[in-house]
Amino acid sequence: MGFAIAIDGPAGSGKSSIAKRLAEKLGYIYVDTGALYRTIGLAVFRKAGKTDDPDIISEVAGDIDVDLGYNEKGQRVFLDGEDVSEEIRKEEISHMASVVSAVPFVRERLLDLQRSMAREHDVIMDGRDIGTVILPDADLKLFLLCPAEERAKRRVAQLEKAGMEADYEQILKDIHIRDERDTTREISPLKKADDAHEFNTVGHTADSSAEEIVERFGLCRK
Ligand code: DC
């Protein structure tokens, strides 16, 4: 088992940007577990459209190969060998990821893949249940906090920067729906682990958050 940092928190709270910066500073591998759920969401969407039927979702999830790889661009995720790292970022796939992640078979299916990454490398892993379920013995657990309105503002800025259209009200509504589903689902809901440290990202950039975390928890730079 390598050194493991678990970062959990709601959608858009800054997990992935902060985790990436931390991984660079510390020389660890960054594992974006949301990408795995998104990949299954994409597979379901391609085969069955916008369904939330757990039987269909489980059947598709059992039939595909999901894998992680790393290159100079960082983490890549593969669906049956196809690099889908960009396609999984679309809004409809965010929705599908949230839907499929509530299906027990899907969570079971992704458990070993996530744990094996932490066995083989020093990792910073982000998600919803990393500190509670996937890596309950992680060396450091962080739980990020950020109000929904602030997260929606950041998402609008992100989309506009990428030249895409962004509707603040719609994005805020989607965030509330995803928060509700992620925190109330029966299996592995988004929840702070008892031994996790809260970190509020309001007023911080990803860089300043990562810097403060390194200092506050005495982490060793590479
Ligand atoms: O972090 P993200 O937005 O890429 O995650 C996409 C969806 O996957 C999100 O709605 C919740 C789900 N997810 C999860 O249930 N458990 C994780 N460890 C990571 C993501």
Side-chain angles (χ1 to χ4, degrees):
M1 194 82 176
F3 195 89
I5 300 179
I7 305 186
D8 291 303
S13 56
K15 295 186 300 292
S16 63
S17 322
I18 294 171
K20 265 184 221 160
R21 301 293 194 294
L22 272 175
E24 279 161 21
K25 287 178 196 290
L26 306 174
Y28 292 4
I29 284 193
Y30 164 52
V31 184
D32 165 9
T33 65
L36 302 172
Y37 293 92
R38 287 171 176 271
T39 301
I40 294 184
L42 173 65
V44 170
F45 186 71
R46 281 182 178 176
K47 288 204 177 141
K50 239 178 152 180
T51 181
D52 60 359
D53 181 327
D55 292 336
I56 297 178
I57 292 170
S58 302
E59 198 188 317
V60 174
D63 217 34
I64 55 171
D65 185 46
V66 180
D67 207 3
L68 288 178
Y70 290 85
N71 67 13
E72 66 291 344
K73 288 196 212 163
Q75 177 184 293
R76 311 302 290 172
V77 63
F78 299 91
L79 168 59
D80 292 328
E82 176 193 349
D83 185 342
V84 292
S85 312
E86 267 88 40
E87 197 172 348
I88 57 167
R89 299 293 153 199
K90 292 183 179 158
E91 281 306 311
E92 73 256 29
I93 305 305
S94 302
H95 166 79
M96 288 305 294
S98 177
V99 171
V100 304
S101 70
V103 176
F105 179 82
V106 170
R107 305 206 73 85
E108 194 60 34
R109 165 93 177 63
L110 294 176
L111 190 80
D112 284 346
L113 178 56
Q114 296 172 84
R115 286 195 179 147
S116 70
M117 293 302 294
R119 260 197 305 276
E120 290 159 21
H121 311 276
D122 289 334
V123 291
I124 298 190
M125 194 173 281
D126 80 358
R128 305 294 189 287
D129 60 341
I130 309 303
T132 50
V133 177
I134 306 294
L135 304 177
D137 297 325
D139 299 280
L140 172 64
K141 297 181 187 178
L142 299 170
F143 192 86
L144 302 192
L145 303 172
C146 186
E149 291 72 18
E150 174 72 19
R151 290 185 274 139
K153 261 195 250 165
R154 288 179 187 175
R155 183 72 187 138
V156 168
Q158 224 175 34
L159 288 170
E160 284 175 349
K161 198 170 158 207
M164 290 191 243
E165 266 181 48
D167 173 350
Y168 172 82
E169 290 305 329
Q170 184 59 44
I171 287 172
L172 181 61
K173 203 170 132 204
D174 290 346
I175 285 180
H176 282 303
I177 293 172
R178 284 175 71 197
D179 280 358
E180 174 72 12
R181 194 182 297 117
D182 293 347
T183 52
T184 59
R185 68 176 175 231
E186 265 175 46
I187 178 163
S188 303
L190 168 65
K191 190 166 147 269
K192 179 181 159 308
D194 292 338
D195 53 349
H197 301 269
E198 287 186 352
F199 188 89
N200 195 323
T201 66
V202 176
H204 270 295
T205 61
D207 265 330
S208 67
S209 297
E211 201 45 48
E212 194 174 321
I213 290 167
V214 169
E215 294 297 322
R216 197 187 293 179
F217 299 101
L219 301 171
C220 293
R221 293 168 204 274
K222 74 171 172 186

